[in-house]
Amino acid sequence: MRPALEAIIDLGHPLARLAREIDWGFLDRRFAGVCTAGGGHPPLPTRLVAGLLILKHLHDLSDEALCARWIENPYYQFFCGEESFQHKLRFERSSLTRWRQRLGEEQLVALLQESLSVAHKLGALATRDLELVVVDTTVQPKAIAHPTDARLCHRALEKLVDLARRHDVALRQSYRRVAKRAAIMVGRYTHAHQFKRARRELKFLRTRLGRVVRDIRRKIAGDEKLQGRFADLLALAHRVQFQDHRQRGQKVYALHAPEVECIGKGKARAPYEFGCKVSIATPATKPKGGQFVLHARALHGNPYDGHTLGPVVAGLEALTGVTTSRIHVDKGYRGHNHTEKFRVWITGQVRRVTKPIRREMKRRAAVEPVIGHLKAEHRLDRNYLKGRDGDRANPVLAAAGYNFALLLRWLERLLRALFRVLFPHPIPGQIT
């Protein structure tokens, strides 16, 4: 009989205290719609899944690192609902991917909602903090290489040739060797500012890609099964072959992530970022527990910031259950679509500005370090999740991980304050 985890770990540890504060029944009810037991293997417990997702973004871990640390760390296992220490994984690493896809943004929002509920219950977040908010947007970069026309053409040709080889489609010529050399020479000529030679090599590369595309289409004509297998990649290769870096509209920036958008932010170090926009909302006040993230949402299509304010605030109010009284934004939201025009305050606004509102407007910049922490410590800086579903799920998980990190810090401070009350005088010989 293995000893219980409660007899092994320190129940005063912040992670153990946080596990007792979370309403796992609420998460169980929210996740119940996608984890009903069927005729096959029984699904994983919802507490285990929710705990793994929280820990992953709480400590900025990959799926592989999370599995390795879960076996070693009894506090992780206690947080996920285990009663005794487990020496083997109860789940496969790929289960995390399938659960994220199964839950989606609609159910994962429950993790963010529960983090705010726990913060309110512990006194780290007040109702007043939910009424005065700051809304801003940032870019969630995708895990892709920097796109260039030469690299995209070369990768499209390689993928088509590999796919043809796997399905026994005999090509007249693969052009792999000459295409690789042409892609290398485009980079070298561009670096040397020999742009005419670079354009000549790029034209050579596009011509060879076109030959492979036409050859494959001839060979698979009349075979519906092969046409279905090659349809998506051929369509992407055709777009890559004829797109130009000066053209307007949606382009292909990565063959494995065609949903990626190019967003110009005007930064000197990174004029363009490749991913999707994300809206972040935080309190305009100073909550006791820190600047919690009240709402996070991916915005596809590179919309104008002002056109996103109405839906974002509606989603924020539905998530918290509190009506916002004042919303502070930057000048990028001028001409916004929020129905209550007089609730929105734009940086630099002069009319109707009182002293309390001016103090709140100075707090608008508090959202910037929150975005920095989300990117640096909670996996918002480089999104590895697949497709637009992954783009929508990652900001919600990052926001939940950030909020739970603030709650851990809040519980640590409460514990230190309790020790100061119980032991007001230092113990002789103890280093303070």
Side-chain angles (χ1 to χ4, degrees), residues 45-61:
T46 53
R47 176 169 178 177
L48 174 61
V49 175
L52 289 171
L53 294 175
I54 292 172
L55 291 171
K56 173 183 172 65
H57 288 265
L58 176 64
H59 294 133
D60 189 12
L61 301 173

Side-chain angles (χ1 to χ4, degrees), residues 59-90:
H59 294 133
D60 189 12
L61 301 173
S62 64
D63 290 350
E64 292 80 3
L66 175 64
C67 294
R69 192 172 294 188
W70 191 87
I71 298 177
E72 302 169 353
N73 198 323
Y75 290 96
Y76 277 24
Q77 297 188 14
F78 179 81
F79 187 80
C80 293
E82 298 295 334
E83 296 182 357
S84 59
F85 188 78
Q86 303 294 324
H87 297 275
K88 294 182 180 180
L89 282 176
R90 290 187 54 194

Side-chain angles (χ1 to χ4, degrees), residues 414-426:
L414 289 180
L415 185 62
R416 286 197 297 267
L418 179 62
F419 271 106
R420 292 193 191 100
V421 172
L422 296 177
F423 308 102
H425 302 292

Side-chain angles (χ1 to χ4, degrees), residues 35 47 56 120 177-178 221 225 239 304 314 331 341 356:
C35 63
R47 176 169 178 177
K56 173 183 172 65
H120 190 271
R177 182 178 58 82
V178 294
K225 185 177 179 180
R239 290 175 60 186
Y304 170 61
K331 293 182 179 180
K341 303 292 183 182

